[in-house]
Amino acid sequence: MVYHLAEEGTMAVVLPHGVLFRGAAEGHIRQYLIEQMNCLDAVIGLPANIFYGTSIPTCVLVFKKCRKHPDNILFIDASQHFDKVKTQNVLRPEHIQKIVDAYKARTNQDKYSHVASIESIKANDYNLNIPRYVDTFEAEDTIDLASISVQLIELDKASRATDATIAAFCQELGIAPPF
């Protein structure tokens, strides 16, 4: 496909995420496309389950032979921007517009896009896995262990009271309690 691409043309191809990081021949192809041809312009991560017949997450690779930004590659993580419709995920016009706007702006947007230098990609051994470049980490809520401990003590007291009530009913019925 890249061979047939016009000198001023743009091509986008949808692929599974594995092509971004698998080694062996795929790693050599990525390295060649980036280092020798310098035609990879953007990597766009899409949500899982947006194509019928496959539930795997996919990505769009955008190629240009005559790039305006030959010293970097844009990464967009659109994997969390979709609507769930029954068993299928759907990209709505506003989700698509956000991708297009990020592509046109070509800037770093917190938890959404990152412009990575070719040098940083080379330092990552041409691994294009999106989380290496777009930080989507969300800190988990802190857990108050002292509060949880108090709740567990209260639950244990309530459980013992319930067990005593059940044991009294069992004695009244003349049967052995279940515990």
Side-chain angles (χ1 to χ4, degrees):
M1 290 184 283
V2 173
Y3 173 79
H4 290 287
L5 184 62
E7 287 302 316
E8 297 294 323
T10 300
M11 174 186 74
V13 61
V14 178
L15 296 164
H17 269 257
V19 301
L20 301 176
F21 54 83
R22 280 193 293 254
E26 286 176 288
H28 294 298
I29 292 168
R30 280 193 312 276
Q31 182 174 349
Y32 182 78
L33 290 170
I34 295 167
E35 193 174 62
Q36 302 299 316
M37 295 188 75
N38 195 13
C39 62
L40 181 60
D41 193 49
V43 176
I44 304 167
L46 299 177
N49 206 28
I50 63 167
F51 294 107
Y52 292 103
T54 183
S55 61
I56 64 171
T58 54
C59 63
V60 175
L61 301 183
V62 180
F63 293 94
K64 291 183 174 185
K65 281 189 179 175
C66 187
R67 293 178 359 119
K68 292 181 180 159
H69 307 281
D71 58 339
N72 61 54
I73 295 174
L74 174 66
F75 288 83
I76 299 173
D77 184 356
S79 63
Q80 302 304 311
H81 302 269
F82 62 90
D83 285 345
K84 186 155 191 71
V85 178
K86 294 186 182 179
T87 60
Q88 199 72 32
N89 294 333
V90 176
L91 289 175
R92 299 280 185 213
E94 59 269 19
H95 303 131
I96 295 168
Q97 190 60 52
K98 183 172 178 145
I99 295 169
V100 171
D101 291 345
Y103 181 79
K104 287 181 178 178
R106 204 171 184 89
T107 58
N108 294 330
Q109 294 179 35
D110 192 38
K111 301 193 184 308
Y112 192 73
S113 67
H114 177 73
V115 180
S117 69
I118 298 295
E119 288 305 313
S120 68
I121 292 168
K122 184 177 181 178
N124 278 315
D125 201 26
Y126 299 95
N127 184 325
L128 302 176
N129 201 10
I130 297 168
R132 284 183 180 252
Y133 305 98
V134 180
D135 180 17
T136 57
F137 177 75
E138 294 283 340
E140 291 185 22
D141 294 335
T142 57
I143 299 172
D144 181 3
L145 292 178
S147 171
I148 298 295
S149 179
V150 169
Q151 290 175 5
L152 287 172
I153 290 169
E154 294 301 319
L155 285 172
D156 188 49
K157 286 179 186 175
S159 177
R160 277 192 246 139
T162 301
D163 286 350
T165 303
I166 292 171
F169 288 146
C170 289
Q171 184 178 12
E172 192 176 312
L173 293 171
I175 59 173
F179 38 83

